[in-house]
Amino acid sequence: MLSKSKSKSNDKSKSNDSSTVNKLKLFQESLHELLTSCKKDNMSNIYLVGDFNLCLLRHDLFEPTAEFIDLMFSFGFIEIITKPTRVFNHSTYTSYS
């Protein structure tokens, strides 16, 4: 019985991961359309700011993050944050130097 319970828990976790990935893909598609529109309208001074809630410094851990960075680079945007903005015991960067 415990393995069935564990299995259901893992399935739910996978479902949540899939939902997150799908939402990120939808966001990136919308962002791509917006940036394409700006480019067509010759808008050259665009500042994209905000908290995207993606660990951009560890893009190797989550494919949608790498795709987001590729999208940004393809439109000439660069990341100016080079260190984690907050670190906790449960963060990816608990031992960041």
Coordinates of all heavy atoms in Angstrom, one line a residue:
M1 N 0.8 -1.2 0.0 CA 0.0 0.0 0.0 C 0.8 1.3 0.0 O 0.5 2.2 -0.6 CB -0.9 0.0 1.2 CG -2.1 -0.9 1.1 SD -3.1 -0.4 -0.3 CE -4.7 -0.8 0.3
L2 N 2.0 1.3 0.7 CA 2.8 2.4 0.7 C 3.3 2.8 -0.7 O 3.4 4.0 -1.0 CB 3.9 2.3 1.7 CG 3.6 2.3 3.2 CD1 4.8 2.0 4.0 CD2 3.0 3.7 3.5
S3 N 3.7 1.8 -1.4 CA 4.2 2.1 -2.8 C 3.2 2.8 -3.7 O 3.5 3.6 -4.4 CB 4.8 0.9 -3.4 OG 3.8 0.0 -3.8
K4 N 1.9 2.3 -3.5 CA 0.8 3.0 -4.3 C 0.7 4.4 -3.9 O 0.5 5.3 -4.7 CB -0.5 2.2 -4.1 CG -0.6 0.9 -4.8 CD -1.9 0.4 -4.7 CE -2.0 -0.9 -5.5 NZ -3.3 -1.5 -5.4
S5 N 0.7 4.7 -2.6 CA 0.6 6.0 -2.1 C 1.8 6.9 -2.6 O 1.6 8.0 -3.0 CB 0.6 6.0 -0.6 OG 0.6 7.4 -0.1
K6 N 3.0 6.3 -2.6 CA 4.1 7.0 -3.1 C 4.0 7.3 -4.6 O 4.3 8.4 -5.1 CB 5.4 6.2 -2.9 CG 6.2 6.6 -1.7 CD 7.5 5.8 -1.7 CE 8.3 6.3 -0.5 NZ 9.6 5.5 -0.5
S7 N 3.5 6.3 -5.3 CA 3.3 6.5 -6.7 C 2.4 7.6 -7.1 O 2.6 8.4 -7.9 CB 2.8 5.2 -7.3 OG 2.5 5.3 -8.7
K8 N 1.3 7.7 -6.3 CA 0.3 8.7 -6.6 C 0.9 10.1 -6.3 O 0.8 11.1 -7.0 CB -0.9 8.6 -5.7 CG -1.8 7.5 -6.2 CD -3.1 7.4 -5.3 CE -3.9 6.2 -5.7 NZ -5.1 6.1 -4.9
S9 N 1.7 10.2 -5.2 CA 2.4 11.4 -4.9 C 3.4 11.8 -6.0 O 3.4 13.0 -6.4 CB 3.2 11.2 -3.6 OG 4.0 12.4 -3.3
N10 N 4.1 10.9 -6.5 CA 5.1 11.2 -7.6 C 4.3 11.6 -8.9 O 4.7 12.5 -9.6 CB 5.9 10.0 -7.9 CG 7.0 9.7 -6.8 OD1 7.3 10.6 -6.1 ND2 7.5 8.5 -6.7
D11 N 3.2 11.0 -9.2 CA 2.4 11.3 -10.3 C 1.9 12.8 -10.2 O 1.9 13.5 -11.1 CB 1.2 10.4 -10.5 CG 1.6 9.0 -11.0 OD1 2.8 8.9 -11.4 OD2 0.8 8.1 -10.8
K12 N 1.5 13.1 -9.0 CA 1.0 14.5 -8.7 C 2.1 15.5 -8.9 O 1.9 16.5 -9.5 CB 0.4 14.6 -7.3 CG -0.3 15.9 -7.1 CD -1.0 15.9 -5.7 CE -1.8 17.2 -5.5 NZ -2.5 17.2 -4.2
S13 N 3.3 15.2 -8.4 CA 4.4 16.0 -8.6 C 4.8 16.2 -10.1 O 5.1 17.3 -10.5 CB 5.6 15.5 -7.8 OG 6.8 16.2 -8.1
K14 N 4.8 15.1 -10.8 CA 5.0 15.2 -12.3 C 4.0 16.0 -13.0 O 4.3 16.8 -13.8 CB 5.1 13.8 -12.9 CG 6.3 13.0 -12.5 CD 6.3 11.6 -13.1 CE 7.5 10.8 -12.6 NZ 7.4 9.5 -13.1
S15 N 2.8 15.9 -12.5 CA 1.7 16.7 -13.1 C 1.9 18.2 -12.8 O 1.7 19.0 -13.7 CB 0.3 16.3 -12.5 OG -0.7 17.1 -13.0
N16 N 2.3 18.5 -11.6 CA 2.6 19.9 -11.3 C 3.8 20.5 -12.1 O 3.8 21.6 -12.6 CB 2.9 20.1 -9.8 CG 1.6 19.9 -9.0 OD1 0.5 20.1 -9.5 ND2 1.8 19.6 -7.7
D17 N 4.8 19.6 -12.3 CA 6.0 20.0 -13.1 C 5.5 20.3 -14.5 O 5.9 21.3 -15.1 CB 7.1 19.0 -13.0 CG 7.8 18.9 -11.7 OD1 7.6 19.8 -10.9 OD2 8.5 17.9 -11.5
S18 N 4.7 19.4 -15.0 CA 4.2 19.6 -16.4 C 3.4 20.8 -16.5 O 3.5 21.6 -17.5 CB 3.4 18.3 -16.8 OG 2.8 18.5 -18.0
S19 N 2.6 21.1 -15.6 CA 1.8 22.3 -15.6 C 2.6 23.6 -15.6 O 2.4 24.5 -16.3 CB 0.8 22.3 -14.4 OG 0.1 23.6 -14.3
T20 N 3.7 23.6 -14.7 CA 4.6 24.7 -14.7 C 5.3 24.9 -16.0 O 5.4 26.0 -16.5 CB 5.7 24.4 -13.5 OG1 5.0 24.3 -12.3 CG2 6.7 25.6 -13.5
V21 N 5.8 23.8 -16.6 CA 6.5 23.9 -17.9 C 5.5 24.4 -18.9 O 5.9 25.3 -19.7 CB 7.0 22.5 -18.3 CG1 7.5 22.5 -19.7 CG2 8.2 22.1 -17.3
N22 N 4.3 23.9 -18.9 CA 3.3 24.4 -19.9 C 3.0 25.9 -19.7 O 2.9 26.7 -20.7 CB 2.0 23.6 -19.8 CG 2.1 22.2 -20.3 OD1 3.0 21.9 -21.1 ND2 1.3 21.4 -19.9
K23 N 2.9 26.4 -18.5 CA 2.7 27.8 -18.2 C 3.9 28.6 -18.7 O 3.7 29.7 -19.3 CB 2.4 28.1 -16.8 CG 1.1 27.6 -16.3 CD 0.9 27.7 -14.8 CE -0.5 27.1 -14.4 NZ -0.6 27.2 -13.0
L24 N 5.1 28.1 -18.5 CA 6.3 28.8 -18.9 C 6.4 28.9 -20.4 O 6.8 29.9 -21.0 CB 7.6 28.2 -18.3 CG 7.8 28.4 -16.9 CD1 8.9 27.5 -16.4 CD2 8.2 29.9 -16.7
K25 N 6.0 27.8 -21.1 CA 6.0 27.8 -22.6 C 5.0 28.8 -23.1 O 5.3 29.6 -24.0 CB 5.8 26.4 -23.1 CG 6.9 25.5 -22.9 CD 6.7 24.1 -23.6 CE 7.8 23.2 -23.3 NZ 8.9 23.3 -24.2
L26 N 3.8 28.9 -22.5 CA 2.8 29.9 -22.9 C 3.3 31.3 -22.7 O 3.2 32.1 -23.6 CB 1.5 29.6 -22.2 CG 0.4 30.6 -22.5 CD1 0.0 30.5 -24.0 CD2 -0.8 30.3 -21.6
F27 N 4.0 31.5 -21.6 CA 4.5 32.8 -21.3 C 5.6 33.2 -22.3 O 5.6 34.3 -22.8 CB 5.1 32.9 -19.9 CG 6.0 34.1 -19.6 CD1 5.4 35.3 -19.4 CD2 7.4 33.9 -19.5 CE1 6.2 36.4 -19.2 CE2 8.2 35.0 -19.3 CZ 7.6 36.3 -19.1
Q28 N 6.5 32.2 -22.6 CA 7.6 32.5 -23.5 C 7.0 32.8 -24.9 O 7.5 33.6 -25.7 CB 8.6 31.4 -23.5 CG 9.4 31.3 -22.2 CD 10.4 30.2 -22.2 OE1 10.7 29.6 -23.2 NE2 10.8 29.9 -21.0
E29 N 6.0 32.0 -25.3 CA 5.4 32.3 -26.6 C 4.8 33.7 -26.7 O 5.0 34.4 -27.7 CB 4.3 31.2 -26.9 CG 4.8 29.9 -27.2 CD 3.8 28.8 -27.2 OE1 2.6 29.1 -27.2 OE2 4.1 27.6 -27.3
S30 N 4.1 34.1 -25.7 CA 3.5 35.4 -25.6 C 4.6 36.5 -25.6 O 4.5 37.5 -26.3 CB 2.6 35.6 -24.4 OG 1.6 34.7 -24.4
L31 N 5.7 36.3 -24.9 CA 6.8 37.2 -24.8 C 7.4 37.3 -26.2 O 7.8 38.4 -26.6 CB 7.8 36.8 -23.7 CG 9.0 37.7 -23.5 CD1 8.5 39.1 -23.1 CD2 9.9 37.1 -22.4
H32 N 7.6 36.2 -26.8 CA 8.2 36.2 -28.2 C 7.3 37.0 -29.1 O 7.9 37.8 -29.9 CB 8.3 34.8 -28.7 CG 9.0 34.7 -30.0 ND1 8.4 34.8 -31.2 CD2 10.3 34.5 -30.3 CE1 9.2 34.7 -32.2 NE2 10.4 34.6 -31.7
E33 N 6.0 36.9 -29.1 CA 5.1 37.6 -29.9 C 5.3 39.1 -29.6 O 5.3 40.0 -30.5 CB 3.7 37.2 -29.7 CG 3.4 35.8 -30.3 CD 2.0 35.4 -30.0 OE1 1.1 36.2 -29.7 OE2 1.7 34.2 -30.1
L34 N 5.3 39.5 -28.4 CA 5.4 40.9 -28.0 C 6.7 41.5 -28.4 O 6.8 42.6 -29.0 CB 5.3 41.0 -26.4 CG 5.6 42.4 -25.9 CD1 4.5 43.4 -26.3 CD2 5.7 42.3 -24.3
L35 N 7.8 40.8 -28.2 CA 9.1 41.3 -28.7 C 9.3 41.4 -30.2 O 9.9 42.3 -30.7 CB 10.3 40.4 -28.1 CG 10.4 40.5 -26.6 CD1 11.4 39.5 -26.1 CD2 10.7 41.9 -26.1
T36 N 8.7 40.4 -30.9 CA 8.6 40.5 -32.3 C 7.9 41.7 -32.8 O 8.3 42.4 -33.7 CB 8.0 39.2 -32.9 OG1 8.8 38.0 -32.5 CG2 7.9 39.2 -34.4
S37 N 6.8 42.0 -32.2 CA 6.0 43.1 -32.5 C 6.7 44.4 -32.3 O 6.7 45.3 -33.1 CB 4.7 43.1 -31.7 OG 3.9 44.3 -31.9
C38 N 7.4 44.5 -31.1 CA 8.3 45.7 -30.8 C 9.3 45.9 -31.9 O 9.6 47.0 -32.3 CB 8.9 45.5 -29.4 SG 7.7 45.7 -28.1
K39 N 9.9 44.8 -32.3 CA 11.0 44.8 -33.3 C 10.5 45.3 -34.6 O 11.1 46.1 -35.3 CB 11.7 43.4 -33.4 CG 12.9 43.4 -34.3 CD 13.5 42.0 -34.2 CE 14.8 42.0 -35.1 NZ 15.4 40.7 -35.0
K40 N 9.3 44.8 -35.0 CA 8.7 45.3 -36.3 C 8.4 46.7 -36.2 O 8.4 47.4 -37.3 CB 7.4 44.4 -36.6 CG 7.7 43.0 -37.0 CD 6.4 42.3 -37.3 CE 6.7 40.9 -37.7 NZ 5.4 40.1 -37.8
D41 N 8.0 47.2 -35.1 CA 7.7 48.7 -34.9 C 8.9 49.5 -34.7 O 8.8 50.7 -34.3 CB 6.7 48.9 -33.8 CG 5.3 48.3 -34.1 OD1 5.0 48.1 -35.3 OD2 4.5 48.0 -33.2
N42 N 10.1 49.0 -34.9 CA 11.4 49.6 -34.7 C 11.5 50.3 -33.3 O 12.1 51.4 -33.2 CB 11.6 50.7 -35.8 CG 11.8 50.1 -37.1 OD1 12.5 49.1 -37.3 ND2 11.1 50.6 -38.1
M43 N 11.0 49.6 -32.3 CA 11.2 50.1 -30.9 C 12.6 49.6 -30.5 O 12.9 48.5 -30.3 CB 10.2 49.5 -30.0 CG 8.8 50.0 -30.3 SD 7.6 49.3 -29.1 CE 6.1 49.9 -29.7
S44 N 13.5 50.6 -30.3 CA 14.9 50.2 -30.0 C 15.3 50.3 -28.6 O 16.2 49.7 -28.1 CB 15.9 51.0 -30.9 OG 15.7 52.4 -30.6
N45 N 14.6 51.1 -27.8 CA 14.9 51.3 -26.4 C 13.9 50.5 -25.5 O 12.9 51.1 -25.0 CB 14.9 52.8 -26.0 CG 16.1 53.5 -26.7 OD1 17.1 53.0 -26.8 ND2 15.8 54.7 -27.1
I46 N 14.1 49.3 -25.4 CA 13.2 48.4 -24.6 C 14.0 47.9 -23.4 O 15.1 47.4 -23.4 CB 12.7 47.2 -25.4 CG1 12.0 47.7 -26.7 CG2 11.8 46.3 -24.6 CD1 11.7 46.6 -27.6
Y47 N 13.3 48.1 -22.2 CA 13.9 47.7 -21.0 C 12.9 46.6 -20.4 O 11.8 46.9 -20.2 CB 14.1 48.8 -20.0 CG 15.1 49.8 -20.4 CD1 14.6 50.9 -21.2 CD2 16.4 49.7 -20.1 CE1 15.6 51.9 -21.6 CE2 17.3 50.6 -20.6 CZ 16.9 51.7 -21.3 OH 17.8 52.6 -21.8
L48 N 13.4 45.4 -20.2 CA 12.6 44.3 -19.7 C 13.0 44.1 -18.3 O 14.2 43.6 -18.1 CB 12.7 43.1 -20.6 CG 11.8 41.9 -20.4 CD1 10.4 42.3 -20.5 CD2 12.2 40.8 -21.3
V49 N 12.2 44.4 -17.3 CA 12.6 44.3 -15.9 C 11.5 43.5 -15.2 O 10.4 43.4 -15.6 CB 12.8 45.6 -15.2 CG1 13.9 46.4 -15.9 CG2 11.5 46.4 -15.2
G50 N 11.9 42.8 -14.1 CA 11.0 42.1 -13.3 C 11.6 40.8 -12.7 O 12.7 40.5 -13.1
D51 N 10.9 40.2 -11.9 CA 11.3 38.9 -11.3 C 10.5 37.8 -12.1 O 9.3 37.7 -11.9 CB 10.9 38.9 -9.8 CG 11.4 37.6 -9.1 OD1 11.9 36.7 -9.8 OD2 11.2 37.5 -7.9
F52 N 11.3 37.1 -12.9 CA 10.7 36.0 -13.7 C 10.6 34.7 -12.9 O 10.1 33.7 -13.4 CB 11.5 35.8 -15.0 CG 11.4 37.0 -15.8 CD1 12.5 37.9 -15.9 CD2 10.3 37.3 -16.6 CE1 12.4 39.0 -16.7 CE2 10.2 38.4 -17.4 CZ 11.3 39.3 -17.4
N53 N 11.1 34.7 -11.7 CA 11.1 33.6 -10.8 C 11.7 32.3 -11.4 O 11.2 31.2 -11.3 CB 9.7 33.3 -10.3 CG 9.6 32.5 -9.0 OD1 10.6 32.5 -8.3 ND2 8.5 31.9 -8.8
L54 N 12.8 32.6 -12.1 CA 13.6 31.5 -12.7 C 15.0 31.7 -12.3 O 15.5 32.8 -12.2 CB 13.6 31.6 -14.3 CG 12.3 31.4 -15.0 CD1 12.4 31.7 -16.4 CD2 11.9 29.9 -14.8
C55 N 15.7 30.6 -12.0 CA 17.1 30.7 -11.5 C 17.9 30.7 -12.8 O 18.4 29.7 -13.3 CB 17.4 29.4 -10.7 SG 19.1 29.6 -10.0
L56 N 18.1 32.0 -13.3 CA 18.9 32.2 -14.5 C 20.3 31.8 -14.4 O 20.9 31.4 -15.4 CB 18.8 33.6 -14.9 CG 17.3 34.1 -15.2 CD1 17.3 35.6 -15.6 CD2 16.6 33.3 -16.2
L57 N 20.9 31.8 -13.2 CA 22.3 31.4 -13.0 C 22.5 29.9 -13.1 O 23.6 29.5 -13.3 CB 22.8 32.0 -11.7 CG 22.7 33.5 -11.5 CD1 23.1 33.9 -10.1 CD2 23.5 34.2 -12.6
R58 N 21.4 29.1 -13.0 CA 21.6 27.7 -13.1 C 20.6 27.1 -14.2 O 19.8 26.3 -14.0 CB 21.2 27.0 -11.8 CG 22.2 27.2 -10.6 CD 23.6 26.8 -11.0 NE 23.7 25.4 -11.5 CZ 24.1 24.4 -10.8 NH1 24.3 24.5 -9.5 NH2 24.1 23.2 -11.3
H59 N 20.7 27.7 -15.4 CA 19.9 27.4 -16.5 C 20.1 25.9 -16.9 O 19.2 25.4 -17.6 CB 20.2 28.3 -17.7 CG 21.6 28.4 -18.1 ND1 22.2 27.4 -18.9 CD2 22.6 29.2 -17.7 CE1 23.4 27.7 -19.1 NE2 23.7 28.8 -18.4
D60 N 21.2 25.3 -16.5 CA 21.4 23.9 -16.9 C 20.5 22.9 -16.1 O 20.4 21.8 -16.5 CB 22.9 23.6 -16.6 CG 23.3 23.8 -15.2 OD1 22.9 24.8 -14.6 OD2 24.1 23.0 -14.6
L61 N 19.8 23.4 -15.1 CA 19.0 22.5 -14.3 C 17.6 22.4 -14.7 O 16.8 21.5 -14.3 CB 19.0 23.0 -12.8 CG 20.3 23.0 -12.1 CD1 20.2 23.5 -10.7 CD2 20.9 21.5 -12.0
F62 N 17.1 23.3 -15.6 CA 15.7 23.4 -16.0 C 15.6 23.9 -17.4 O 15.9 25.1 -17.6 CB 15.0 24.3 -15.0 CG 13.5 24.3 -15.0 CD1 12.8 23.1 -15.0 CD2 12.8 25.5 -15.2 CE1 11.4 23.1 -15.0 CE2 11.4 25.5 -15.2 CZ 10.7 24.3 -15.2
E63 N 15.2 23.1 -18.3 CA 15.2 23.4 -19.7 C 14.4 24.7 -20.1 O 14.9 25.5 -20.9 CB 14.7 22.2 -20.6 CG 14.8 22.5 -22.0 CD 14.4 21.3 -22.9 OE1 14.3 20.2 -22.4 OE2 14.1 21.5 -24.1
P64 N 13.3 24.9 -19.5 CA 12.6 26.2 -19.8 C 13.4 27.4 -19.5 O 13.2 28.4 -20.1 CB 11.3 26.1 -19.0 CG 11.0 24.6 -18.9 CD 12.4 24.0 -18.7
T65 N 14.2 27.3 -18.5 CA 15.1 28.5 -18.1 C 16.1 28.7 -19.2 O 16.3 29.9 -19.6 CB 15.8 28.2 -16.8 OG1 14.8 28.0 -15.8 CG2 16.6 29.4 -16.4
A66 N 16.7 27.7 -19.7 CA 17.6 27.8 -20.8 C 16.9 28.4 -22.1 O 17.5 29.2 -22.8 CB 18.3 26.5 -21.2
E67 N 15.7 27.9 -22.3 CA 14.9 28.4 -23.5 C 14.6 29.9 -23.3 O 14.6 30.7 -24.2 CB 13.6 27.6 -23.6 CG 13.9 26.2 -24.1 CD 12.7 25.3 -24.0 OE1 11.6 25.8 -23.5 OE2 12.7 24.2 -24.4
F68 N 14.3 30.3 -22.0 CA 14.0 31.7 -21.7 C 15.3 32.6 -22.0 O 15.2 33.6 -22.7 CB 13.6 31.9 -20.3 CG 13.4 33.3 -19.8 CD1 12.2 34.0 -20.2 CD2 14.4 34.0 -19.1 CE1 12.1 35.3 -19.8 CE2 14.2 35.3 -18.7 CZ 13.0 35.9 -19.0
I69 N 16.4 32.1 -21.6 CA 17.7 32.8 -21.8 C 17.9 32.9 -23.3 O 18.3 34.0 -23.8 CB 18.8 32.2 -21.1 CG1 18.6 32.4 -19.6 CG2 20.2 32.7 -21.5 CD1 19.6 31.7 -18.7
D70 N 17.7 31.8 -24.1 CA 17.9 31.8 -25.5 C 17.0 32.9 -26.2 O 17.4 33.6 -27.1 CB 17.7 30.5 -26.1 CG 18.7 29.5 -25.8 OD1 19.8 29.9 -25.3 OD2 18.5 28.2 -25.9
L71 N 15.8 32.9 -25.7 CA 14.8 33.9 -26.2 C 15.3 35.3 -26.0 O 15.3 36.2 -26.9 CB 13.4 33.7 -25.6 CG 12.4 34.8 -26.0 CD1 12.0 34.7 -27.5 CD2 11.1 34.5 -25.2
M72 N 15.8 35.6 -24.8 CA 16.2 36.9 -24.4 C 17.5 37.3 -25.3 O 17.5 38.4 -25.8 CB 16.6 37.0 -23.0 CG 15.4 36.9 -22.0 SD 14.2 38.2 -22.1 CE 13.0 37.5 -23.3
F73 N 18.4 36.4 -25.4 CA 19.6 36.6 -26.2 C 19.2 36.9 -27.7 O 19.9 37.7 -28.4 CB 20.6 35.5 -26.1 CG 21.4 35.5 -24.8 CD1 22.0 34.4 -24.4 CD2 21.5 36.6 -24.0 CE1 22.8 34.3 -23.3 CE2 22.3 36.6 -22.9 CZ 22.9 35.5 -22.5
S74 N 18.3 36.1 -28.2 CA 17.9 36.3 -29.6 C 17.3 37.7 -29.9 O 17.4 38.1 -31.1 CB 16.9 35.2 -30.0 OG 15.6 35.4 -29.5
F75 N 16.9 38.4 -28.9 CA 16.4 39.7 -29.1 C 17.4 40.8 -28.6 O 17.0 42.0 -28.5 CB 15.0 39.9 -28.5 CG 13.9 39.3 -29.3 CD1 13.5 38.0 -29.1 CD2 13.3 40.0 -30.3 CE1 12.4 37.5 -29.8 CE2 12.3 39.5 -31.1 CZ 11.8 38.2 -30.8
G76 N 18.5 40.3 -28.2 CA 19.6 41.3 -27.8 C 19.5 41.7 -26.3 O 20.2 42.6 -25.9
F77 N 18.8 41.0 -25.5 CA 18.7 41.3 -24.1 C 19.8 40.5 -23.4 O 20.1 39.4 -23.7 CB 17.3 40.9 -23.5 CG 16.2 41.8 -23.9 CD1 15.4 41.4 -25.0 CD2 16.0 43.0 -23.3 CE1 14.4 42.2 -25.4 CE2 15.0 43.8 -23.7 CZ 14.2 43.5 -24.7
I78 N 20.4 41.1 -22.4 CA 21.4 40.4 -21.6 C 21.0 40.6 -20.1 O 20.4 41.5 -19.7 CB 22.8 41.0 -21.8 CG1 22.8 42.5 -21.5 CG2 23.3 40.7 -23.2 CD1 24.2 43.1 -21.5
E79 N 21.4 39.6 -19.4 CA 21.1 39.5 -17.9 C 22.2 40.4 -17.2 O 23.4 40.2 -17.5 CB 21.2 38.1 -17.4 CG 21.0 37.9 -16.0 CD 19.6 38.4 -15.5 OE1 18.6 38.1 -16.2 OE2 19.5 39.0 -14.4
I80 N 21.8 41.2 -16.3 CA 22.8 42.0 -15.6 C 23.0 41.5 -14.2 O 23.9 42.0 -13.5 CB 22.4 43.5 -15.6 CG1 21.0 43.7 -14.9 CG2 22.4 44.1 -17.0 CD1 20.7 45.2 -14.7
I81 N 22.2 40.6 -13.7 CA 22.3 40.0 -12.4 C 23.4 38.8 -12.6 O 23.2 37.9 -13.4 CB 21.0 39.4 -11.9 CG1 19.9 40.5 -11.8 CG2 21.2 38.8 -10.5 CD1 20.2 41.7 -10.9
T82 N 24.4 38.9 -11.8 CA 25.5 37.9 -11.9 C 25.6 37.0 -10.6 O 26.5 36.1 -10.6 CB 26.8 38.5 -12.2 OG1 27.2 39.4 -11.2 CG2 26.8 39.2 -13.6
K83 N 24.9 37.3 -9.6 CA 24.9 36.6 -8.4 C 23.5 36.4 -7.9 O 22.6 37.2 -8.2 CB 25.7 37.3 -7.3 CG 27.2 37.5 -7.6 CD 27.9 38.2 -6.5 CE 29.4 38.3 -6.9 NZ 30.1 39.0 -5.9
P84 N 23.2 35.4 -7.1 CA 21.9 35.2 -6.5 C 21.4 36.4 -5.8 O 22.2 37.0 -5.1 CB 22.0 34.0 -5.6 CG 23.3 33.3 -6.0 CD 24.2 34.3 -6.6
T85 N 20.1 36.7 -5.9 CA 19.6 37.9 -5.2 C 19.1 37.5 -3.8 O 19.0 38.4 -2.9 CB 18.4 38.5 -6.0 OG1 17.4 37.5 -6.2 CG2 18.9 39.0 -7.3
R86 N 18.9 36.2 -3.5 CA 18.6 35.8 -2.2 C 19.0 34.3 -2.1 O 18.8 33.5 -3.0 CB 17.1 36.0 -1.8 CG 16.2 35.3 -2.8 CD 14.8 35.7 -2.6 NE 14.0 35.2 -3.7 CZ 12.9 34.7 -3.7 NH1 12.3 34.5 -2.5 NH2 12.3 34.3 -4.8
V87 N 19.5 33.9 -0.9 CA 20.0 32.6 -0.7 C 19.5 32.1 0.6 O 19.6 32.8 1.6 CB 21.5 32.5 -0.8 CG1 22.0 31.1 -0.5 CG2 22.1 33.0 -2.1
F88 N 18.9 30.9 0.6 CA 18.4 30.3 1.9 C 19.0 28.9 2.0 O 19.6 28.4 1.0 CB 16.9 30.2 1.8 CG 16.2 31.5 1.8 CD1 15.7 32.0 0.6 CD2 16.0 32.3 2.9 CE1 15.1 33.3 0.5 CE2 15.4 33.5 2.9 CZ 14.9 34.0 1.6
N89 N 18.8 28.2 3.1 CA 19.3 26.9 3.2 C 18.8 25.9 2.2 O 19.5 25.0 1.8 CB 19.0 26.3 4.6 CG 19.8 27.0 5.7 OD1 20.9 27.6 5.5 ND2 19.3 27.0 6.9
H90 N 17.6 26.1 1.7 CA 17.0 25.2 0.7 C 17.3 25.7 -0.7 O 16.8 25.1 -1.7 CB 15.5 25.1 1.0 CG 14.7 26.3 0.8 ND1 14.7 27.3 1.9 CD2 14.1 26.9 -0.2 CE1 14.0 28.3 1.5 NE2 13.6 28.1 0.2
S91 N 18.0 26.8 -0.9 CA 18.3 27.3 -2.2 C 19.2 26.5 -3.0 O 20.0 25.7 -2.5 CB 18.9 28.8 -2.1 OG 18.0 29.6 -1.5
T92 N 19.2 26.6 -4.3 CA 20.2 26.0 -5.2 C 21.6 26.4 -4.9 O 22.5 25.7 -5.0 CB 19.8 26.3 -6.7 OG1 18.5 25.9 -6.9 CG2 20.8 25.6 -7.6
Y93 N 21.7 27.6 -4.4 CA 23.0 28.2 -4.2 C 23.3 28.3 -2.7 O 23.8 29.4 -2.3 CB 23.1 29.6 -4.8 CG 23.3 29.6 -6.3 CD1 22.2 29.8 -7.2 CD2 24.6 29.3 -6.8 CE1 22.5 29.8 -8.5 CE2 24.8 29.3 -8.2 CZ 23.7 29.5 -9.0 OH 23.9 29.5 -10.4
T94 N 23.2 27.3 -2.0 CA 23.5 27.4 -0.5 C 25.0 27.6 -0.3 O 25.4 28.2 0.7 CB 23.0 26.1 0.2 OG1 23.6 25.0 -0.4 CG2 21.5 26.1 0.3
S95 N 25.8 27.2 -1.3 CA 27.3 27.4 -1.1 C 27.9 28.2 -2.2 O 29.0 28.0 -2.7 CB 28.0 26.0 -1.0 OG 27.8 25.3 -2.3
Y96 N 27.1 29.2 -2.7 CA 27.6 30.0 -3.8 C 28.8 30.9 -3.3 O 28.8 31.4 -2.3 CB 26.4 30.9 -4.3 CG 26.8 31.7 -5.5 CD1 26.7 31.1 -6.7 CD2 27.2 33.0 -5.4 CE1 27.0 31.9 -7.9 CE2 27.5 33.8 -6.5 CZ 27.4 33.2 -7.7 OH 27.8 33.9 -8.9
S97 N 29.8 31.0 -4.2 CA 30.9 31.8 -3.8 C 31.1 32.9 -4.9 O 30.8 32.8 -6.0 CB 32.2 30.9 -3.7 OG 32.4 30.2 -4.9

